């Protein structure tokens, strides 16, 4: 989000008491920025194809009902990967025909529910496809059905997120011996199988390699349609995974640049014959979230200053456990929420959890932080404060969407997306209703 809008929101959050001594962590979502990202995504693909496109937000990136409802209002559907995510999407008012179910481990009950509702389903493997065979044979469905394939083009910079490696757990490994022939036959034997799915993108994956993977799946679609003697596959689900620039406020790569690259490298996919589904998550929301935390203490060790805050592994799990892959930019504010000035001093930004590695940033040059100051972890709108990790039974922070006047001359208004978690709620979800359960089993 732009510096001025973010700065205004931080100050307003402090002034309005969203961040205070009793609630030392708060998360902000820029509603204007999210709407702009959704519009940019729609416009990017509308510029390269006349065919219908369903943009389905990857719910795992921000499993929050108000966020899903906001995106629904922007004509963005939902990609779900569990019964919980499907329940969130339904609670947000997402229609079945705007919802896609993907997962490598769907239960029979999940599949049955999806087919009864008419939700699109991408089978992950031959065994799952056999389950769908039985369900389709027992009861007709409106669900568009497809198969996920792994084009095995290779991984990106973050191994744990690379889904198109030779041994990835996702989809049918297309280059394995006999796999391609099996896929073609699977479609010819099932006239109702009309979609083909891949998801090879991820943080750290270059767009050229993502495009290569989609090109391989397009070629497979063409091969299947030729073998069928008709256009059996009418829709290709290209997944998401567009990387995010965490180094600056610049939003790059853009949806428009990615869509143009697809048009250049895989023109047949975008000539109007194939409908598309996309499944972007991080790239829609990351830049529009800011995590705030008050500095509780300022100390030093080994000559290095340390700002101890209440934001750590519980809200920034990936950064804490893999800081090289997931570095966060940190901005410093004073106790009134104003940008902090002063000479840059190399210091650590520590979290509250009981292990030494609980650091948001290490050896980071910032104005020297003091108790009561505020730190802001930037670009945290996806996979951070909405994906809680309950270390030390630390509470989930409050999440607030904000809007402000375009010129910054009006008030910043906040809406509660998720209220801060209370100690009573922590006790309740930790077996508090049955404290004596193990005393006489």
């Amino acid at each position: 989000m732009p510096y001025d809008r973010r700065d205004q929101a931080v100050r307003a959050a402090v002034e309005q008491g969203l961040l205070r001594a009793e609630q030392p962590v708060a998360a902000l979502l820029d509603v204007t920025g999210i709407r702009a990202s959704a519009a940019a995504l729609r416009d990017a693909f509308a510029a390269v194809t006349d065919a219908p496109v369903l943009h389905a937000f990857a719910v795992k990136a921000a499993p929050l009902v108000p966020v899903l409802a906001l995106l629904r209002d922007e004509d963005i559907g939902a990609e779900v990967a569990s019964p919980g995510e499907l329940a969130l999407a339904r609670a947000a008012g997402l229609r079945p025909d705007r919802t896609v179910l993907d997962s490598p481990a769907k239960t029979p009950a999940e599949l049955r529910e999806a087919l009864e509702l008419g939700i699109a389903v991408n089978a992950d493997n031959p065994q799952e496809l056999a389950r769908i065979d039985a369900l389709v044979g027992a009861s007709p469905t409106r669900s568009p059905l497809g198969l996920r394939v792994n084009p095995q083009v290779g991984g990106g910079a973050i191994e744990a997120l690379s889904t198109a490696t030779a041994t990835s757990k996702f989809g049918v490994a297309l280059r394995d011996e006999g796999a391609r022939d099996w896929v073609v036959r699977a479609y010819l034997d099932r006239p109702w199988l009309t979609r083909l799915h891949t998801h090879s993108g991820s943080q750290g994956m270059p767009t050229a390699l993502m495009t290569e993977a989609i090109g391989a799946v397009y070629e497979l679609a063409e091969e299947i349609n030729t073998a069928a003697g008709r256009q059996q596959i009418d829709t290709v689900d290209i997944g998401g995974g567009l990387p995010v620039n965490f180094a600056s406020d610049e939003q790059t790569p853009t949806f428009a640049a990615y869509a143009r690259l697809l048009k250049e490298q895989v023109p047949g996919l975008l000539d109007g014959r194939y409908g598309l589904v996309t499944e972007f998550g991080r790239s829609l929301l990351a830049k529009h979230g800011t995590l705030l935390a008050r500095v509780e203490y300022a100390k030093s060790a080994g000559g290095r200053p340390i700002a101890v805050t209440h934001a750590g592994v519980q809200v920034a799990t990936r950064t804490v456990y893999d800081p090289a892959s997931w570095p966060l930019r940190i901005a410093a504010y004073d106790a009134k929420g104003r940008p902090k000035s002063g000479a840059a001093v190399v210091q650590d930004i520590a979290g509250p959890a009981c292990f030494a590695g609980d650091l948001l940033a290490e050896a980071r040059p910032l104005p020297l932080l003091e108790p009561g100051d505020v730190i802001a972890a930037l670009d945290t709108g996806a996979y951070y404060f909405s994906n809680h990790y309950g270390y030390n039974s630390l509470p989930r922070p409050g999440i607030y969407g904000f809007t402000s006047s375009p010129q910054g001359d009006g008030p910043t208004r906040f809406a509660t997306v998720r209220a801060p978690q209370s100690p009573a709620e922590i006790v309740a979800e930790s077996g508090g209703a049955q404290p004596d359960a193990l005393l006489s089993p």
Side-chain angles (χ1 to χ4, degrees):
M1 70 185 76
Y3 275 120
D4 55 354
R5 198 159 69 229
R6 179 170 60 228
D7 289 349
Q8 183 181 8
V10 173
R11 184 166 183 173
V14 173
E15 291 175 347
Q16 296 181 35
L18 302 184
L19 188 74
R20 58 189 190 276
E22 299 78 18
Q23 296 288 351
V25 183
L28 308 182
L29 284 169
D30 179 6
V31 173
T32 301
I34 293 171
R35 287 191 184 277
S37 273
L41 174 58
R42 295 194 311 268
D43 292 347
F45 280 83
V48 297
T49 182
D50 295 327
V53 182
L54 168 62
H55 297 295
F57 174 70
V59 173
K60 56 186 165 287
L64 299 164
V65 171
V67 168
L68 304 183
L70 173 63
L71 291 171
R72 183 208 67 215
D73 193 55
E74 289 292 326
D75 201 28
I76 305 295
E79 184 265 337
V80 302
S82 72
E85 289 184 358
L86 176 56
L88 294 176
R90 297 187 72 186
L94 271 298
R95 301 196 316 262
D97 64 346
R98 306 289 292 170
T99 306
V100 180
L101 173 62
D102 294 319
S103 162
K106 307 179 197 72
T107 66
E110 287 179 71
L111 292 170
R112 186 177 301 108
E113 179 184 23
L115 268 58
E116 288 174 352
L117 291 171
I119 289 169
V121 177
N122 291 312
D124 180 81
N125 56 70
Q127 295 169 44
E128 185 170 287
L129 188 57
R131 288 181 175 179
I132 294 174
D133 282 340
L135 291 169
V136 170
S139 178
T141 178
R142 304 185 311 277
S143 294
L145 298 171
L147 180 67
R148 178 170 182 168
V149 297
N150 170 15
Q152 296 173 291
V153 295
I158 304 176
E159 182 178 358
L161 294 191
S162 295
T163 60
T165 60
T167 57
S168 169
K169 72 177 184 179
F170 293 101
V172 177
L174 197 54
R175 296 181 181 179
D176 281 13
E177 184 176 357
R180 191 181 191 95
D181 290 341
W182 179 88
V183 169
V184 174
R185 175 47 56 187
Y187 277 84
L188 297 182
D189 290 344
R190 298 167 177 84
W192 42 263
L193 207 54
T194 60
R195 291 189 171 187
L196 195 57
H197 171 48
T198 190
H199 175 83
S200 57
S202 67
Q203 187 64 23
M205 187 77 161
T207 54
L209 200 56
M210 292 169 58
T211 303
E212 179 185 339
I214 293 168
V217 173
Y218 162 71
E219 292 174 0
L220 177 61
E222 292 282 275
E223 180 179 343
I224 291 168
N225 286 342
T226 298
R230 63 187 181 91
Q231 187 164 357
Q232 178 173 341
I233 296 177
D234 57 26
T235 302
V236 178
D237 184 335
I238 65 172
L242 191 67
V244 169
N245 166 34
F246 286 100
S248 74
D249 274 337
E250 183 183 5
Q251 297 189 36
T252 180
T254 64
F255 293 123
Y258 180 48
R260 288 194 299 268
L261 182 62
L262 285 171
K263 184 71 170 179
E264 175 187 320
Q265 299 297 322
V266 198
L269 180 64
L270 301 171
D271 64 9
R273 291 177 296 131
Y274 290 97
L276 293 181
V277 177
T278 73
E279 300 174 355
F280 297 104
R282 180 183 297 107
S283 51
L284 270 168
L285 256 68
K287 287 291 183 183
H288 309 302
T290 303
L291 179 66
L292 304 181
R294 283 171 48 93
V295 176
E296 192 69 45
Y297 300 112
K299 56 191 291 186
S300 66
R304 180 183 295 174
I306 304 170
V308 181
T309 80
H310 292 273
V313 71
Q314 85 278 23
V315 286
T317 313
R318 286 175 169 176
T319 291
V320 168
Y321 285 127
D322 188 4
S325 298
W326 300 100
L328 281 176
R329 292 185 295 142
I330 304 293
Y333 296 84
D334 66 18
K336 294 184 177 180
R338 301 171 302 195
K340 191 173 178 70
S341 59
V345 177
V346 173
Q347 56 199 298
D348 292 349
I349 311 301
C354 293
F355 66 99
D358 186 31
L359 301 170
L360 288 185
E362 189 172 3
R364 191 66 59 85
L366 292 166
L368 187 62
L369 292 162
E370 303 169 299
D373 284 345
V374 176
I375 63 98
L378 310 183
D379 307 328
T380 48
Y383 294 104
Y384 278 88
F385 46 73
S386 60
N387 297 62
H388 192 73
Y389 174 44
Y391 202 103
N392 281 148
S393 295
L394 293 164
R396 290 188 290 269
I399 301 175
Y400 308 93
F402 71 87
T403 55
S404 54
S405 64
Q407 292 76 30
D409 54 0
T412 297
R413 294 182 172 85
F414 293 97
T416 300
V417 173
R418 186 184 70 196
Q421 188 179 29
S422 69
E425 289 171 324
I426 295 175
V427 171
E429 70 178 23
S430 301
Q434 49 272 347
D436 299 331
L438 301 180
L439 299 183
S440 53

